[in-house]
Amino acid sequence: MEERLQKLLSACGLASRRTAEEWIAAGRVRVNGQTARLGDKADLDRDLVEVDGKAVKPGEGRTYLMLNKPRGYVTTLSDEQGRRTVAQLVSGCGKRVWPVGRLDLDSEGLLILTDDGALTQRLLHPSHGIEKEYLVWVTGDVSKGLPILSAPMTLDGEALAPAKVRRGRVSGGVTQLSVTIRQGKNRQVRRMCAQAGLQVVRLKRVREGTLELDRTLESGTWRRLTAREVGGLLGEQAAEPKDFARQR
């Protein structure tokens, strides 16, 4: 099927769409011997697409990783400020992978990294409404804040779908909540809690779509996803979330 070159190159795991666009603009991409331009399309079943003179082939052996991201790492491949990145944590995987979505510096938990552009698009595009579940430890007036947190809210002038919120255990004045959202705005859960008058002490993502954080995976370590887990992310099986109260 014919696709725009930047999408095709991303789907082959060569680069992000933005980087692919830069390659095209720099004249590094050719289609059937002709230098490509932004907006050009191609079909790998019939066209010869080359980057720096090397033929592009349909992606095989994609890489899918689950990282238990620790606090203190930024979710990016490089950082101009010299901060530690999640790319450093998965450098031993042997492939160029990128993070699907973000967890801010102070957040932790489930982070998917892959070289599959199609899966990245499926998980991030708002039209798919992929659920993301977080365990959130908060202080403040929880009884007053929960109705606000569960109701329709607005961030950056955009209406948000109501979050699914469940109240968990209380210890030392800190309440554990399960918060499930479908959008992915910057620091969304933290900002929602702030609007509800709650202060976030700790935030941990424990599920994205059908994929749950492996509780045997130590903070800062990763493993490859199983075929079943990848199939679930691609919509081949239904999610079966576990009881959040048993998660840590």
Side-chain angles (χ1 to χ4, degrees):
M1 181 178 67
E2 196 173 60
E3 293 182 309
R4 288 188 182 275
L5 282 173
Q6 60 266 39
K7 182 178 180 180
L8 186 150
L9 295 175
S10 176
C12 287
L14 297 178
S16 68
R17 291 192 190 187
R18 185 171 183 177
T19 298
E21 289 175 352
E22 294 173 355
W23 290 356
I24 295 168
R28 296 173 57 186
V29 182
R30 296 171 68 86
V31 178
N32 299 326
Q34 301 296 317
T35 301
R37 297 177 297 178
L38 286 173
D40 284 355
K41 297 182 179 181
D43 181 346
L44 287 182
D45 289 334
R46 71 169 191 230
D47 298 315
L48 172 63
V49 179
E50 298 172 290
V51 176
D52 296 335
K54 184 177 180 180
V56 175
K57 298 179 180 180
E60 296 180 357
R62 297 289 190 197
T63 302
Y64 306 92
L65 308 180
M66 174 193 298
L67 170 69
N68 187 355
K69 177 194 173 298
R71 283 173 280 187
Y73 284 77
V74 291
T75 308
T76 184
L77 300 181
S78 62
D79 185 69
E80 295 179 353
Q81 300 179 41
R83 295 173 295 183
R84 295 177 295 179
T85 72
V86 295
Q88 295 169 325
L89 294 174
V90 301
S91 60
C93 77
K95 293 289 185 68
R96 179 194 180 278
V97 294
W98 55 80
V100 179
R102 292 181 179 274
L103 281 173
D104 64 55
L105 182 70
D106 297 320
S107 298
E108 59 190 292
L110 173 63
L111 184 67
I112 300 168
L113 296 101
T114 186
D115 53 8
D116 187 335
L119 177 63
T120 301
Q121 173 75 357
R122 170 177 168 76
L123 294 179
L124 295 183
H125 198 282
S127 65
H128 296 295
I130 302 296
E131 286 191 342
K132 292 170 279 289
E133 181 180 1
Y134 299 81
L135 296 187
V136 192
W137 288 260
V138 300
T139 59
D141 190 338
V142 175
S143 296
K144 181 179 179 181
L146 283 188
I148 300 173
L149 196 58
S150 303
M153 304 180 78
T154 300
L155 286 180
D156 301 329
E158 179 183 340
L160 303 178
K164 299 177 183 177
V165 183
R166 291 184 289 165
R167 185 171 183 170
R169 67 189 68 177
V170 181
S171 177
V174 177
T175 301
Q176 185 191 69
L177 305 176
S178 165
V179 180
T180 301
I181 61 175
R182 289 184 178 272
Q183 287 109 320
K185 297 183 72 65
N186 184 41
R187 297 174 66 88
Q188 180 173 332
V189 175
R190 291 182 183 275
R191 295 164 67 193
M192 290 169 61
C193 287
Q195 282 195 28
L198 303 174
Q199 295 76 49
V200 175
V201 176
R202 181 184 178 192
L203 189 149
K204 182 177 185 179
R205 183 158 61 202
V206 295
R207 180 171 64 87
E208 185 162 358
T210 60
L211 185 66
E212 296 184 344
L213 177 64
D214 185 340
R215 288 182 284 165
T216 68
L217 201 59
E218 295 184 2
S219 179
T221 63
W222 59 272
R223 68 164 174 81
R224 298 182 188 276
L225 298 187
T226 66
R228 179 178 177 83
E229 288 170 333
V230 174
L233 292 175
L234 292 171
E236 297 172 4
Q237 64 188 41
E240 297 179 355
K242 298 176 182 178
D243 180 357
F244 86 97
R246 295 198 300 270
Q247 302 181 42
R248 297 291 186 271

